[in-house]
Amino acid sequence: PAMWHILEVVSHSAPGLVDTRWCTQGRCQGIYAHASVLAAYRHELTPWHLAARFGLRFWQAARLVTAAREAWIDTADLSLVVEGRQGYAALWDSAVHPRTVADLAAVLPQDLLPMPATFYEDLAYSGVQTDWLRGVLALFPDPELAKFLAGRPHEYPLPSLEEVTELHGLGLRAAELGTAIQLRTSVATIRADLEARQDDPLILLAWQSEWRRVDCYPRKAHFAVLADHGIPHLLPERAAIDATLALCRLSHDTIERSEVGIMLAVLGEPILVAEAVSHGVTSALDPRLTPIATRGETR
């Protein structure tokens, strides 16, 4: 029974086979909640849980797990996983069967294989639609984009395949598509930029991506401010923004970090930014910022 249970769990062949909320095996580790579905399946395959569930000794359960894992890995296509047998072993312990790996690999263009074990684990549990991912990667065959999309369907609103196709037609590259998704930039926004010929959306997206590294989320209008000052690619250090933000919040405790970051890029000195904020300049779009930047004046 224990061996059959292991195979059913790894194959996800029986609905409700694993309680994804908590474990109630008293001999296991008591009653506790699982952090995720993946955590629940991993726990279900541990020797101590199997021993508690089926009345086995720990060493007996451990041997069963190892025997099942090694036997099925012997049948696996090792060319699909970067880490080979080691990767398949990790996937088995996460209840991802070698047959499941082969099915998930079919989503990818051949040029992207092999992929790391974490890609298959993410894709198996994230809930992302494989037909959608197959269509996206057919247009944007990029391994980094594949890894990003496989594990984050709930963190960002994903565009439809039709929207992705339009983005491809607009000339976006794979990395820029990932950035557009992270920044929640709509197709309509990029299209409008092109039609108005105001900005190159590729440049704008890349610029916003750089600012995300310092936890700032500037808009297109902020890019225009920096461009007007001749410093469109100036990016202050995270520590400098942190220090400036702390100074500014002494006089205005709700000022946004992104505004402070852009103002620091324009003014160059934390004390000038703090002084401007103390005089009511709380946005980099405030026209009063220009005379401060050019003459160091606050009025």
Side-chain angles (χ1 to χ4, degrees), residues 251-252 255 263 274-283 286 288 298:
S251 58
H252 195 290
I255 190 168
M263 290 168 69
E275 187 177 356
V277 171
S278 71
H279 285 81
V281 180
T282 59
S283 170
D286 191 316
R288 290 176 291 174
T298 56

Side-chain angles (χ1 to χ4, degrees), residues 63-174:
R63 284 188 178 181
L64 282 176
V65 171
T66 300
R69 181 198 301 124
E70 293 303 312
W72 276 103
I73 291 176
D74 285 342
T75 70
D77 183 351
L78 300 183
S79 69
L80 301 179
V81 180
V82 170
E83 302 89 346
R85 290 187 68 91
Q86 184 177 359
Y88 270 104
L91 287 167
W92 181 275
D93 291 341
S94 296
V96 181
H97 197 283
R99 288 187 306 223
T100 304
V101 173
D103 292 340
L104 297 177
V107 171
L108 298 163
Q110 284 294 317
D111 291 346
L112 298 189
L113 294 171
M115 290 291 278
T118 52
F119 166 80
Y120 296 104
E121 181 184 281
D122 286 344
L123 187 54
Y125 286 97
S126 66
V128 67
Q129 296 296 313
T130 53
D131 287 342
W132 175 85
L133 185 59
R134 181 184 290 107
V136 172
L137 295 178
L139 295 169
F140 296 94
D142 180 82
E144 295 305 315
L145 179 64
K147 287 183 279 188
F148 167 71
L149 294 177
R152 293 173 171 80
H154 304 301
E155 292 183 27
Y156 307 102
L158 296 177
S160 67
L161 188 54
E162 290 75 16
E163 290 175 321
V164 172
T165 301
E166 184 173 357
L167 286 172
H168 182 264
L170 291 174
L172 292 185
R173 295 184 289 270

Side-chain angles (χ1 to χ4, degrees), residues 1-67:
M3 178 63 82
W4 185 250
H5 180 73
I6 291 171
L7 296 178
E8 285 187 317
V9 169
V10 177
S11 301
H12 295 247
S13 59
L17 189 66
V18 175
D19 191 328
T20 57
R21 297 168 299 169
W22 50 67
C23 175
T24 58
Q25 295 293 326
R27 287 178 54 204
C28 184
Q29 291 182 351
I31 300 175
Y32 64 95
H34 292 303
S36 65
V37 173
L38 172 58
Y41 273 86
R42 281 177 173 166
H43 178 75
E44 193 73 19
L45 293 173
T46 56
W48 53 82
H49 177 84
L50 292 169
R53 180 164 187 158
F54 293 98
L56 303 173
R57 295 183 182 277
F58 177 85
W59 65 267
Q60 292 173 316
R63 284 188 178 181
L64 282 176
V65 171
T66 300

Side-chain angles (χ1 to χ4, degrees), residues 221-238:
H222 291 122
F223 180 81
V225 168
L226 295 188
D228 287 344
H229 287 278
I231 50 172
H233 301 296
L234 179 62
L235 180 66
E237 295 290 334
R238 179 191 297 270

